[in-house]
Amino acid sequence: LFRSRGKLMCANLLVRFGALPTHALPRETRARAKKGRKMGTRQCKRGAGGCWRSSETRICLERKRDSSADEARAVAHYYETKQELGKAGRFYSICGQYTRALKFFLQYGESEIDNAIAVVGTARDDMLTHMLIDFLMGETDGVPKDPNYIYRLYMALGNFVQASKTAMIIARQEQNLGHYDAAHSILQESIQQLESRRVKIPQTLRQSFVLLH
């Protein structure tokens, strides 16, 4: 299946990141990969006398992190060349290329909004935040998205004040449409999420919930 050396190397990376099942590799390749993982673990795990060496451990972890980023970038490029933009975006986010990851998620469409929110929440970059908000508001393609995505974005960014305000706006819209159960659920979920993060519940949010209870 993987005849060229380049394709075999890429397949190894896909297996390592869980994007391809191990049994897809040739038998001898699976054996070498298993042996390599064991050797790497032994080299990184212990120092002389069976004790952890902080400096050696730190260097080993840094090398592993750099290597993982390079490998993730290679897998991302592989999926990009195949025009599988959603998968490419996931691996670009792993290696820290958040702008490129977000670009591919938004190009792929609404099915990747959850990943787009996660990337922006991790990056905490104003430009990326505004880019995603424009997309959610319909500024990019003329199609406004579910307002719950805006709420989830603010939660991912840790902007709990705006998240609470957004939840109340969404609940009010549902209430105006006569969907009282939906409005109640939105406020209840918002309060529960804030409590789970040990964030003080805004009085206006709690009052809105009590009025619908």
Side-chain angles (χ1 to χ4, degrees), residues 136-172:
L136 296 177
M137 297 295 290
E139 298 292 334
T140 305
D141 55 7
V143 182
K145 310 304 182 293
D146 188 332
N148 281 289
Y149 287 128
I150 296 286
Y151 164 76
R152 287 161 56 185
L153 172 60
Y154 284 130
M155 290 295 290
L157 291 169
N159 191 338
F160 302 122
V161 173
Q162 286 298 328
S164 299
K165 290 180 179 179
T166 304
M168 287 188 289
I169 291 172
I170 297 171
R172 192 176 303 118

Side-chain angles (χ1 to χ4, degrees), residues 55-148:
S55 59
E56 291 182 359
T57 301
R58 177 178 55 78
I59 293 171
C60 194
L61 291 175
E62 287 176 352
R63 286 177 179 172
K64 183 177 181 181
R65 183 180 64 241
D66 293 341
S67 176
S68 296
D70 290 340
E71 290 168 351
R73 193 178 300 108
V75 175
H77 180 70
Y78 166 79
Y79 281 126
E80 183 180 355
T81 58
K82 292 175 66 67
Q83 288 299 301
E84 296 186 38
L85 302 183
K87 292 179 180 179
R90 289 172 211 153
F91 284 98
Y92 276 126
S93 66
I94 289 174
C95 65
Q97 294 192 14
Y98 301 126
T99 301
R100 202 164 191 175
L102 180 61
K103 174 185 174 183
F104 286 139
F105 288 145
L106 299 187
Q107 284 182 4
Y108 197 80
E110 196 163 348
S111 61
E112 290 292 342
I113 289 181
D114 287 340
N115 286 323
I117 290 173
V119 163
V120 173
T122 300
R124 302 294 176 97
D125 180 278
D126 288 343
M127 184 189 74
L128 298 186
T129 300
H130 290 305
M131 186 187 303
L132 180 53
I133 289 176
D134 286 345
F135 176 81
L136 296 177
M137 297 295 290
E139 298 292 334
T140 305
D141 55 7
V143 182
K145 310 304 182 293
D146 188 332
N148 281 289

Side-chain angles (χ1 to χ4, degrees), residues 8-19 70-72 74-75 91:
L8 186 57
M9 183 180 299
C10 188
N12 272 309
L13 296 179
L14 293 174
V15 168
R16 178 167 180 174
F17 283 99
D70 290 340
E71 290 168 351
V75 175
F91 284 98

